[in-house]
Amino acid sequence: MKKRFIAFYDLFCFIIIAGVMWTIAIMILITGQFGDFDWCVENWYLVLVFAICVAVPVTIMLSLQKIYIDLSCDKVSLFYLVNFRKNEKDLHSNWIFYPSEIESIDIVKLSNEEKKKYTSARFVFSRYLKINFRFGHCKYVYVSHYANWQIKKIIEMLTKT
């Protein structure tokens, strides 16, 4: 069974931002004369606003936080947009794991000192899933941008196996 979870609060903010910006872009597209090069040169600021109103929502859409759970392949993949130079170790260790190895899952709030100790990514909020594995180690998954019902569903799917 495959399931994809997109962070609810990120998605909510994206819908608001995209709604406003794409509305502005459509209004500029309708009222502007983009086929006339002289008009584009005279109104370069409208062309720039149009480009920004199209590009920003697309960029946000591609960088939404996601959790992919594939129980048929026994794999969980996490996607967060972070600085890859600083967080290279998390890309291969903390953001891919296997549900068959999970012993228990708890919701925890980490302090700044605990974030420095247990994770390399510095997220703004502090709600994490502490995933304890059968072999004695644990991983912390950032879930502050997910709704409570999504977190419960994630925990239910991961502990069901």
Side-chain angles (χ1 to χ4, degrees):
M1 178 168 121
K2 289 184 181 181
K3 184 79 171 164
R4 178 180 64 177
F5 295 93
I6 299 175
F8 176 75
Y9 297 114
D10 287 352
L11 187 62
F12 182 71
C13 291
F14 164 73
I15 290 170
I16 293 170
I17 291 169
V20 170
M21 293 186 93
W22 283 341
T23 302
I24 293 170
I26 290 171
M27 289 174 28
I28 292 172
L29 185 64
I30 290 171
T31 60
Q33 300 169 357
F34 285 98
D36 182 14
F37 182 73
D38 291 332
W39 181 88
C40 290
V41 171
E42 287 178 17
N43 298 301
W44 62 269
Y45 53 91
L46 288 176
V47 175
L48 182 64
V49 169
F50 175 79
I52 291 171
C53 286
V54 170
V56 168
V58 170
T59 304
I60 292 172
M61 181 173 54
L62 294 174
S63 63
L64 292 173
Q65 296 181 24
K66 298 174 215 49
I67 294 179
Y68 296 100
I69 300 174
D70 188 359
L71 295 177
S72 62
C73 293
D74 190 38
K75 183 176 180 181
V76 176
S77 301
L78 311 169
F79 175 78
Y80 301 102
L81 186 64
V82 295
N83 184 346
F84 290 110
R85 290 183 188 151
K86 290 184 179 179
N87 302 316
E88 186 176 343
K89 69 178 181 181
D90 270 352
L91 295 179
H92 301 293
S93 62
N94 278 350
W95 296 351
I96 294 176
F97 58 90
Y98 305 100
S100 62
E101 297 176 357
I102 295 174
E103 186 175 293
S104 65
I105 300 176
D106 301 315
I107 301 172
V108 296
K109 290 193 180 201
L110 297 179
S111 66
N112 288 335
E113 295 81 25
E114 291 172 327
K115 284 182 192 179
K116 288 178 186 176
K117 183 177 179 182
Y118 299 127
T119 65
S120 68
R122 304 295 181 258
F123 294 110
V124 177
F125 302 108
S126 59
R127 189 163 49 162
Y128 287 80
L129 290 180
K130 180 181 179 185
I131 301 175
N132 299 307
F133 291 97
R134 291 191 176 116
F135 305 110
H137 64 285
C138 65
K139 293 185 181 186
Y140 292 88
V141 175
Y142 182 71
V143 292
S144 290
H145 292 189
Y146 291 86
N148 289 334
W149 61 270
Q150 287 179 311
I151 294 171
K152 289 177 185 174
K153 183 71 175 171
I154 291 167
I155 292 171
E156 177 184 312
M157 284 186 73
L158 293 178
T159 56
K160 185 169 49 172
T161 59

